[in-house]
């Protein structure tokens, strides 16, 4: 049989992808539908599934097949797939099964308790569970770092963002730090000259949901392969054939849920357009978390908060909630492009958002590298919020260091993806604008087909075929360059 090692690998990864499918839908259900009493049993079932996947992926036959496949006559695509298979294998083979199970259980326990601890501002209760998650994450990081010959934090960063290092992040974020605080201050000062009228609720949830569904239709979401639900923290989950997105509603605040939906629709469209002709293969997966985030921010910030798109949505807003002074065109546009530093990352405008990410990056890196402990987080959080945004979180854990879900299950190394994603999105949108000279007019007319075709050809259809750098060079002619993000923010806000 030709390329028999490679074919064995392909069959095994197809099998693994089916278990991942079940795990993804069970996780979605846990966040969106499951009654509280199901938490422990679901956590144990998911841990069992992750152990089973780990056993399949680290079976000693896998190492033999990977070695054998290297000698086989593979085309470019198969070689890219083999590269990704080796990466998945190496990521898994390093970890003992007991650690995989312990981490899954500790994460489920911490996340479930967080749901009630956050509203109660219960840092002491939360920190007890978080300490166990951090302990296990440090064990994982130490094992990975030794194998890769890098820092503990870089070893975890590599899981989410292949080939990214904290040294490169420090350079990118250092560049941001050199100009962002000034741009933020100037944008706030400029906007303070114009008084804004606040939209007056209540905005019934049923109508908010309808508005979100209308935005999803406009953005090309395939409802035969996905759905919209509610969760404590908005997310996109599931699998390319069955994408699950969630938002959260507040009857006094209209646009938070809407732009949450638009953001998650960006993730969903990427998933729905990943290559289906390589079923279950690692090369058909999304390239990285930052590229994934670039798609959600492309939709939410580059497209969603652009003047032509906001104007396109305005009649939909008025038809559902009635005319009011806040929905006069210029006020409505300014309201949805306002820059206002606040406590909550997911509600932050795109100018102050990077501050939320950099502070989390600095804290989680110090935590994993052992420079600080869990008990140090609240004071550090407050200090960095004051430095960046002039806001204190002393005693306010709910809106401070307890607001995110990522650390509850050991997702250390994920946060940088958000600001990397914003940089990638700005660069991609600029390239799309060059390729499509009439883009603004098309958006204003609600004709987004050409833009989505460009994304499909430049990003979506390639899955993980190329490295992140190569994907960006192919799409934009340039590797990641923060200049595009700075130019975008300057043009929109100054």
């Amino acid at each position: 049989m030709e390329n028999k090692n490679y074919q064995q690998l392909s069959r095994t990864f197809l099998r693994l992808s089916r278990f991942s499918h079940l795990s993804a839908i069970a996780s979605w259900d846990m966040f969106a539908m499951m009654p509280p009493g199901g938490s422990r049993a679901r956590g144990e079932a998911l841990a069992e599934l992750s152990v089973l996947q780990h056993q399949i992926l680290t079976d000693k036959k896998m190492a033999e097949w990977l070695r054998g496949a290297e000698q086989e006559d593979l085309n470019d695509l198969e070689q890219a797939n083999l590269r990704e298979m080796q990466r998945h294998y190496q990521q898994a083979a390093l970890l003992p099964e007991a650690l995989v199970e312990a981490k899954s259980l500790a994460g489920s326990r911490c996340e479930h308790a967080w749901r009630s601890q956050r509203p109660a501002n219960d840092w002491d209760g939360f920190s007890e569970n978080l300490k166990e998650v951090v302990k296990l994450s440090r064990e994982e990081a130490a094992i990975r770092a030794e194998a890769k010959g890098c820092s503990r934090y870089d070893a975890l960063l590599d899981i989410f963002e292949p080939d990214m290092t904290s040294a490169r992040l420090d350079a990118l974020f250092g560049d941001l730090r050199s100009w962002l605080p000034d741009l933020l201050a100037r944008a706030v000062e400029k906007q303070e000259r114009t008084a804004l009228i606040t939209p007056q609720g209540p905005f019934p949830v049923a109508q908010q949901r309808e508005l979100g569904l209308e935005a999803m239709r406009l953005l090309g979401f395939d409802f035969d392969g996905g759905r919209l639900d509610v969760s404590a923290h908005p997310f996109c989950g599931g699998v390319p054939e069955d994408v699950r997105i969630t938002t959260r509603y507040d009857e006094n605040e209209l646009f938070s849920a809407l732009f949450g939906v638009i953001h998650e629709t960006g993730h969903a469209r990427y998933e729905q357009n990943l290559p289906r002709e390589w079923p279950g293969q690692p090369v058909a997966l999304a390239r990285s978390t930052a590229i994934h985030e670039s798609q959600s921010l492309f939709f939410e910030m580059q497209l969603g908060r652009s003047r032509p798109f906001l104007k396109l949505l305005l009649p939909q807003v008025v038809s559902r909630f009635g005319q009011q002074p806040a929905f006069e065109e210029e006020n409505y546009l300014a309201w949805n492009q306002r820059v206002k530093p606040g406590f909550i990352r997911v509600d932050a405008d795109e100018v102050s958002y990077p501050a939320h990410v950099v502070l989390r990056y600095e804290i989680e890196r110090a935590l994993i590298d052992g420079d600080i402990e869990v008990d140090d987080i609240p004071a550090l959080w407050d200090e960095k919020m004051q430095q960046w945004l002039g806001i204190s979180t002393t005693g306010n854990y709910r809106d401070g260091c307890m607001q995110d879900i990522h650390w509850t299950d050991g997702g250390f190394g994920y946060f940088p993806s958000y600001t990397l994603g914003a940089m990638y999105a700005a660069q991609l949108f600029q390239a799309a604008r060059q390729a499509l000279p009439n883009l603004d007019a098309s958006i204003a007319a609600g004709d987004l087909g050409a833009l989505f075709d460009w994304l499909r050809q430049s990003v979506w259809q390639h899955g993980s075929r190329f490295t992140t750098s190569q994907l960006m060079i192919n799409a934009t002619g340039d590797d990641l360059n923060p200049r595009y993000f700075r130019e975008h923010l300057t043009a929109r806000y100054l």
Side-chain angles (χ1 to χ4, degrees):
M1 190 166 73
E2 260 187 81
N3 295 343
K4 65 178 189 296
N5 292 291
Y6 178 80
Q7 290 186 11
Q8 286 283 12
L9 288 167
S10 297
R11 278 197 289 273
T12 305
F13 275 94
L14 177 59
R15 187 176 175 221
L16 279 166
S17 78
R18 288 168 178 161
F19 287 128
S20 294
H21 182 143
L22 294 175
S23 178
I25 299 301
S27 297
W28 163 83
D29 176 78
M30 183 166 75
F31 293 127
M33 292 284 173
M34 187 186 74
S39 174
R40 184 174 169 185
R42 181 65 53 85
E44 289 169 351
L46 284 168
E48 189 73 39
L49 201 48
S50 66
V51 168
L52 178 60
Q53 288 171 273
H54 186 260
Q55 286 171 341
I56 295 168
L57 190 50
T58 57
D59 187 295
K60 62 178 185 294
K61 286 193 206 124
M62 289 290 283
E64 293 168 23
W65 292 334
L66 286 164
R67 279 196 302 274
E70 283 180 352
Q71 311 305 316
E72 292 175 343
D73 184 22
L74 305 180
N75 63 32
D76 287 355
L77 187 57
E78 290 165 339
Q79 284 174 356
N81 197 29
L82 180 60
R83 177 196 71 217
E84 295 301 308
M85 288 171 169
Q86 285 168 328
R87 180 176 154 71
H88 284 256
Y89 170 75
Q90 284 156 1
Q91 295 279 17
L94 293 171
L95 300 186
E97 202 174 286
L99 179 57
V100 173
E101 183 173 29
K103 199 164 172 263
S104 179
L105 287 168
S108 291
R109 202 161 46 239
C110 188
E111 186 279 327
H112 186 73
W114 165 82
R115 295 188 209 184
S116 54
Q117 288 163 344
R118 184 191 171 198
N121 202 38
D122 177 14
W123 167 256
D124 289 340
F126 175 68
S127 66
E128 281 312 298
N129 286 329
L130 184 61
K131 283 171 184 171
E132 180 63 18
V133 173
V134 169
K135 179 173 92 65
L136 295 168
S137 296
R138 283 174 172 171
E139 281 181 36
E140 176 185 358
I143 293 167
R144 293 190 183 287
E146 191 177 339
K148 275 188 71 75
C150 63
S151 77
R152 290 198 294 196
Y153 183 74
D154 279 13
L156 296 186
L157 181 63
D158 186 68
I159 296 169
F160 301 104
E161 210 44 42
D163 308 321
M164 185 54 71
T165 63
S166 48
R168 190 167 175 215
L169 279 178
D170 287 344
L172 289 164
F173 292 168
D175 177 77
L176 263 185
R177 199 187 283 278
S178 73
W179 56 263
L180 189 69
D182 177 61
L183 192 149
L184 177 58
R186 286 166 63 201
V188 169
E189 184 197 0
K190 181 184 176 196
Q191 293 189 0
E192 278 172 350
R193 293 179 215 145
T194 310
L196 284 184
I197 303 165
T198 304
Q200 297 301 308
F203 303 103
V205 166
Q207 270 99 307
Q208 286 200 51
R209 177 176 162 78
E210 281 307 312
L211 180 62
L213 291 169
E214 182 56 38
M216 289 167 72
R217 280 189 282 273
L218 189 59
L219 294 167
F221 184 90
D222 175 9
F223 286 95
D224 283 341
R227 50 182 288 143
L228 171 67
D229 292 282
V230 177
S231 67
H233 195 67
F235 71 92
C236 173
V239 292
E241 300 80 3
D242 180 6
V243 181
R244 308 297 176 94
I245 72 171
T246 68
T247 193
R248 57 183 173 206
Y249 298 103
D250 177 348
E251 293 220 325
N252 299 311
E253 215 295 310
L254 172 58
F255 295 110
S256 177
L258 174 64
F259 281 96
V261 169
I262 291 171
H263 179 98
E264 301 306 337
T265 300
H267 283 304
R269 291 280 278 135
Y270 184 22
E271 286 290 318
Q272 289 180 334
N273 285 278
L274 286 168
R276 302 283 176 89
E277 62 271 25
W278 315 322
Q281 301 308 303
V283 76
L285 296 172
R287 173 60 274 173
S288 73
T289 51
I291 291 297
H292 227 309
E293 203 55 37
S294 78
Q295 299 310 290
S296 58
L297 292 173
F298 191 103
F299 274 57
E300 180 194 2
M301 295 299 184
Q302 297 292 326
L303 172 62
R305 291 191 192 269
S306 68
R307 286 178 73 91
F309 190 82
L310 285 169
K311 284 185 183 180
L312 185 63
L313 280 182
L314 182 54
Q316 302 288 344
V317 172
V318 172
S319 74
R320 285 177 176 79
F321 303 104
Q323 186 54 272
Q324 57 169 278
F327 297 156
E328 293 298 333
E329 187 174 282
E330 282 309 312
N331 188 85
Y332 155 84
L333 291 171
W335 183 262
N336 283 298
Q337 289 188 348
R338 74 196 188 288
V339 176
K340 192 178 180 195
F343 290 108
I344 306 298
R345 174 185 62 82
V346 294
D347 294 335
D349 59 85
E350 63 180 330
V351 186
S352 57
Y353 196 105
H356 291 271
V357 169
V358 175
L359 85 83
R360 285 159 173 77
Y361 158 64
E362 290 172 350
I363 290 172
E364 71 176 13
R365 185 176 68 173
L367 194 62
I368 292 300
D369 285 342
D371 300 329
I372 62 167
E373 296 302 328
V374 168
D375 291 336
D376 301 320
I377 292 174
L380 260 175
W381 193 284
D382 178 58
E383 180 191 313
K384 289 175 184 293
M385 280 294 282
Q386 298 214 45
Q387 274 172 13
W388 273 99
L389 300 175
I391 295 173
S392 173
T393 56
T394 303
N396 181 2
Y397 310 112
R398 178 177 55 233
D399 296 330
C401 52
M402 283 180 72
Q403 66 182 270
D404 297 295
I405 201 170
H406 305 60
W407 290 346
T408 64
D409 69 349
F412 299 101
Y414 191 111
F415 277 120
S417 305
Y418 291 115
T419 289
L420 291 170
M423 292 176 180
Y424 285 129
Q427 190 165 328
L428 287 165
F429 202 81
Q430 180 57 32
R433 198 178 277 294
Q434 285 181 324
L436 306 166
N438 299 319
L439 183 57
D440 281 353
S442 299
I443 295 169
D447 177 10
L448 303 173
L451 180 61
F452 297 148
D453 285 344
W454 185 88
L455 278 173
R456 190 176 293 107
Q457 286 166 14
S458 304
V459 180
W460 297 344
Q461 68 173 356
H462 301 298
S464 283
R465 183 171 189 167
F466 304 113
T467 63
T468 309
S469 288
Q470 193 59 54
L471 183 73
M472 287 303 290
I473 291 166
N474 293 351
T476 72
D478 199 0
D479 200 351
L480 177 60
N481 186 337
R483 170 173 72 86
Y484 298 98
F485 186 49
R486 183 178 185 173
E487 287 172 357
H488 159 70
L489 293 181
T490 303
R492 180 172 285 178
Y493 297 101
L494 298 183

